[in-house]
Amino acid sequence: MPTLAQVTRELLIAHNRYPRKDLGQHFLIDPKVVERIIAAAGLTRDDLVLEIGSGLGVVTAELAQHVYQLVAVEIDKELLGISREVLKPYPNISFVGQDILKVDLAGLTLGRKYKVVGNLPYYITAPIIDKLLTAQEKPELAVLMTQKEVAERMAAKPGSKSYGSFSVFCQFYAAVKIESLVSKSSFLPWPEVSSAIVSLTPHPQPLFPGLDEQKFLKIVHTAFQQRRKKLSTSLDELKLGETSIDLNRRPETLSVEEFALLARHFA
Ligand code: SAM
């Protein structure tokens, strides 16, 4: 059996293709990492999976064997064409040649429960996560390959160096877990940064019922714009009412719950 690395190299050579840096094309060639993704996503024959950035379809083929149906989204039309050939033996895959940031998630998944899997193009990690977590129909689970530092920011706890508005944002909407670290040599070509598999399990119900999300996000964003300053200074313009939170504290010390408390006092 040829390895994932051999298959990937041969496909690129046969189609006279170079990976496009501007589209974040770093193909996963380590079967152990693919297994870890499948395990973290707990894929079963009942699952509908949306794969973000399906590339040459080599990883897609592995995923498709575990699920009921897979929707492969890939912006690069040439790669999509190659993957259609590679994936001919799998009738349970449908192909979408579009920008993931522009697709209608509910339309693609027809209002059904779905999971997301993706070795993400790193240049749009944050907008992709934003889209998944704020969608009307959120995935039940997303297992994503991201830059290691980004995964650390997503999962960071108050008081740590990595904790910031992106941590609060992600944890407001989902339980975040770093599943495992992934070395550069697992990709072809090697990326400049280390990677991690991170899982996001959106909360089935809002964590803080009745809380105005827009107000919450505005407070968090404003507070972290001046990370080293006290809340009383950075939130001055928002004219907060009485609150039990000590405004001499810095934003990086506040938990998601405490930001929610603040937001309830924001007229
Ligand atoms: N899934 C393949 C793998 O693991 O080997 C490829 C992963 S590669 C890191 C990221 C993929 O996302 C590339 O195939 C790239 O063309 C695609 N991509 C980049 N920007 C995209 C976008 N806006 N929408 C959909 N796919 C995109």
Side-chain angles (χ1 to χ4, degrees), residues 120-138:
L120 294 187
Y122 292 174
Y123 72 106
I124 46 169
T125 302
I128 290 175
I129 289 171
D130 186 319
K131 176 163 182 154
L132 296 176
L133 293 184
T134 59
Q136 195 68 33
E137 302 297 336
K138 302 181 202 344

Side-chain angles (χ1 to χ4, degrees), residues 23-28 53 55 74-75 99-100 119 121 123-124:
L23 288 180
Q25 290 175 355
H26 296 276
F27 303 106
L28 193 52
E74 172 56 56
I75 199 171
D99 180 346
I100 185 65
N119 171 18
Y123 72 106
I124 46 169

Side-chain angles (χ1 to χ4, degrees), residues 23-183:
L23 288 180
Q25 290 175 355
H26 296 276
F27 303 106
L28 193 52
I29 52 164
D30 185 338
K32 292 213 172 66
V33 176
V34 179
E35 273 171 30
R36 278 189 251 153
I37 292 173
I38 290 169
L43 297 183
T44 73
R45 295 252 173 255
D46 292 332
D47 284 331
L48 165 63
V49 167
L50 181 77
E51 189 193 3
I52 300 177
S54 46
L56 293 161
V58 177
V59 174
T60 316
E62 305 294 320
L63 301 175
Q65 294 172 38
H66 290 82
V67 304
Y68 171 63
Q69 208 180 348
L70 188 144
V71 180
V73 182
E74 172 56 56
I75 199 171
D76 184 327
K77 297 281 188 324
E78 202 185 337
L79 290 198
L80 197 75
I82 299 172
S83 70
R84 277 183 193 276
E85 286 298 311
V86 171
L87 298 168
K88 262 202 179 132
Y90 303 96
N92 60 339
I93 301 178
S94 53
F95 299 87
V96 179
Q98 283 181 43
D99 180 346
I100 185 65
L101 297 179
K102 297 200 177 130
V103 298
D104 169 18
L105 293 174
L108 286 189
T109 53
L110 300 173
R112 288 169 39 204
K113 251 182 18 176
Y114 68 103
K115 293 177 178 172
V116 171
V117 173
N119 171 18
L120 294 187
Y122 292 174
Y123 72 106
I124 46 169
T125 302
I128 290 175
I129 289 171
D130 186 319
K131 176 163 182 154
L132 296 176
L133 293 184
T134 59
Q136 195 68 33
E137 302 297 336
K138 302 181 202 344
E140 56 175 322
L141 172 68
V143 175
L144 307 171
M145 182 79 72
T146 68
Q147 186 179 336
K148 177 172 160 266
E149 283 72 20
V150 175
E152 284 169 352
R153 271 194 267 142
M154 289 161 71
K157 294 294 168 208
S160 72
K161 226 173 67 191
S162 308
Y163 188 68
S165 57
F166 194 49
S167 327
V168 179
F169 174 82
C170 291
Q171 294 167 37
F172 178 69
Y173 288 107
V176 183
K177 181 173 172 217
I178 296 182
E179 300 286 345
S180 71
L181 301 182
V182 179
S183 72

Side-chain angles (χ1 to χ4, degrees), residues 252-264:
E252 68 216 37
T253 69
L254 261 66
S255 65
V256 178
E257 290 73 16
E258 287 173 317
F259 273 113
L261 254 180
L262 264 187
R264 292 214 193 268

